[in-house]
Amino acid sequence: MFGIFSLLVQFFRLGPKEFYKVRFKLPAIRFIDNTLDVLRAKSKTGIYNTKEVFIKGTVVAFITTVLVWLSVFMYLAFYYTYVPSVAHERPVHLKFTPRDNIANYKENGPHSYLNAHVELTNRQQLLMMGQPYKVFLDLEMPESPVNKELGSMFMVCTQFHGKKSLIAQSCRSAMLEYRSPLLQFLYTIVYSPFFLFGAAQEKQKLHIELFSNYEEQTGPAVTDVYIEIQSMYIELYSAKFLINAEFTGLRYFMFNWPVLSAIIGITSNLFFIAIVGIISWYQLIHSEEYRKYIRSKDNIQDKFQGSMEDSYSSSSIEDISGKELKFGEEYINKME
């Protein structure tokens, strides 16, 4: 806690630029220069042992692993931010009012229109803005005499609502697939064993497209959907509401070729990180602070070497060690 407080005090005392120089840039310069000195010394003497090779190999492998995983993380973060979920599915629980409960009922139907409320999300936004979507309603209908004798098509109307307003609406017509009496007879004969053992049912699935190219716009987001089937005679087993994303361009490529796009994306991230690292290295070793550091280091080393040469002839080993320690401390303080 005290360390954090001292860092804050130093930040406000020096300012952002000087704080960055003192706490980050100069330590990086010292580390780079010391590393280069060690490498130069080893290159001149040619002394390399197994331990040093192992340590250097471990460092290189660690840095490479960090860069690769950083590239993978950057690609995954971009993918899950840029490519939305491909589909959203919600069950539809339709309800109606029976004929006996309808006041002033003038029609002959057994019930009112079927309707349902589907809650898409409690959050602020489920669909990605600017992404085209196709919206469907799947109906599972029995091939009952009532459904076959509807006489005409029926309408399915949908309304998209935000928290407080109507956003979009659509109505589409639908009907059961027609089968002639002969075709229906043959179909029943062929599938009768499956019907008897419950492996199949006499039903049809209708896939009704409500919106072919829906896009979220700026403003209220869609949170609730209201569905109405405008028929008083229709019979249903179940219903399901679907929203499918229609990818184009880069999203289409990333979704349909995930391995190839991942290889290209991670490689591009590695290249970008390498370019940034090379530019940062070039700016660091050609900075004015690095030149000052090298000049001050050379001056201190010259003074240290001259003083040691004068002391070697008249000092004992303990004195020489003490002077080396003194000049070493002076060197460290000067660098800081």
Side-chain angles (χ1 to χ4, degrees):
M1 187 67 183
F2 179 75
I4 297 175
F5 179 75
S6 61
L7 286 176
L8 292 175
V9 172
Q10 189 179 20
F11 177 82
F12 289 109
R13 182 170 57 86
L14 297 177
K17 187 175 181 180
E18 289 297 324
F19 180 81
Y20 165 74
K21 182 190 298 183
V22 172
R23 302 299 301 184
F24 297 99
K25 195 170 186 178
L26 291 178
I29 289 173
R30 286 196 292 269
F31 174 77
I32 292 171
D33 188 70
N34 293 335
T35 304
L36 292 176
D37 286 342
V38 172
L39 293 177
R40 292 191 195 101
K42 294 298 182 182
S43 299
K44 290 180 180 179
T45 58
I47 300 174
Y48 291 97
N49 54 37
T50 305
K51 183 178 179 180
E52 291 173 348
V53 173
F54 175 76
I55 292 174
K56 291 179 180 179
T58 303
V59 171
V60 171
F62 175 77
I63 294 175
T64 304
T65 303
V66 169
L67 293 179
V68 171
W69 277 108
L70 180 61
S71 302
V72 173
F73 174 77
M74 291 172 61
Y75 176 79
L76 291 177
F78 175 75
Y79 183 90
Y80 286 106
T81 303
Y82 185 70
V83 180
S85 299
V86 65
H88 302 281
E89 181 179 318
R90 298 289 187 274
V92 178
H93 303 291
L94 293 160
K95 60 182 181 179
F96 59 89
T97 303
R99 176 179 178 179
D100 296 337
N101 296 338
I102 301 177
N104 300 322
Y105 192 81
K106 296 181 180 180
E107 301 294 337
N108 296 322
H111 52 72
S112 64
Y113 290 161
L114 302 179
N115 58 83
H117 168 222
V118 179
E119 185 179 51
L120 287 182
T121 178
N122 288 322
R123 299 175 296 175
Q124 186 68 21
Q125 188 167 2
L126 177 68
L127 306 180
M128 179 175 288
M129 189 175 299
Q131 168 64 45
Y133 291 92
K134 284 190 175 182
V135 182
F136 300 94
L137 180 67
D138 283 356
L139 299 179
E140 192 174 63
M141 302 174 59
E143 293 182 330
S144 62
V146 173
N147 282 337
K148 291 180 180 180
E149 295 173 3
L150 285 177
S152 62
M153 297 183 290
F154 58 92
M155 296 292 295
V156 178
C157 293
T158 306
Q159 291 183 345
F160 281 2
H161 284 257
K163 290 296 183 181
K164 297 180 180 179
S165 60
L166 173 65
I167 297 176
Q169 59 183 348
S170 171
C171 288
R172 295 289 188 269
S173 60
M175 65 177 297
L176 282 176
E177 179 183 355
Y178 172 75
R179 289 177 185 164
S180 64
L182 177 60
L183 183 60
Q184 183 66 36
F185 174 76
L186 294 176
Y187 176 83
T188 304
I189 293 297
V190 171
Y191 282 91
S192 58
F194 301 99
F195 295 150
L196 290 175
F197 292 102
Q201 292 180 325
E202 293 183 272
K203 63 182 180 181
Q204 292 187 22
K205 291 183 178 181
L206 299 186
H207 194 59
I208 307 169
E209 184 180 279
L210 302 175
F211 290 91
S212 59
N213 191 26
Y214 176 79
E215 293 186 21
E216 282 273 55
Q217 304 297 329
T218 55
V222 177
T223 57
D224 299 271
V225 178
Y226 293 89
I227 300 172
E228 184 178 66
I229 300 178
Q230 297 179 354
S231 174
M232 297 180 182
Y233 300 92
I234 192 170
E235 295 178 345
L236 297 173
Y237 281 142
S238 62
K240 185 167 54 177
F241 184 77
L242 302 171
I243 301 178
N244 295 334
E246 290 294 309
F247 295 136
T248 57
L250 181 59
R251 288 192 179 104
Y252 181 85
F253 175 76
M254 293 178 68
F255 181 78
N256 290 279
W257 289 278
V259 176
L260 180 60
S261 64
I263 293 173
I264 295 175
I266 294 172
T267 305
S268 302
N269 290 336
L270 280 173
F271 178 76
F272 173 76
I273 294 173
I275 293 297
V276 171
I278 292 172
I279 293 175
S280 301
W281 173 272
Y282 180 83
Q283 291 181 344
L284 188 63
I285 64 175
H286 288 83
S287 62
E288 185 63 27
E289 290 83 1
Y290 187 80
R291 295 191 185 96
K292 291 180 180 179
Y293 177 82
I294 296 298
R295 286 197 295 268
S296 60
K297 177 183 174 182
D298 293 339
N299 293 333
I300 294 174
Q301 286 180 344
D302 291 340
K303 292 180 181 179
F304 177 78
Q305 189 173 9
S307 300
M308 289 299 99
E309 289 176 355
D310 294 338
S311 301
Y312 284 152
S313 59
S314 58
S315 300
S316 60
I317 296 176
E318 290 80 4
D319 294 335
I320 293 173
S321 300
K323 291 180 180 181
E324 289 178 347
L325 179 60
K326 179 180 178 181
F327 281 103
E329 293 176 351
E330 179 185 354
Y331 172 73
I332 294 173
N333 294 331
K334 183 68 176 176
M335 293 300 99
E336 294 179 349

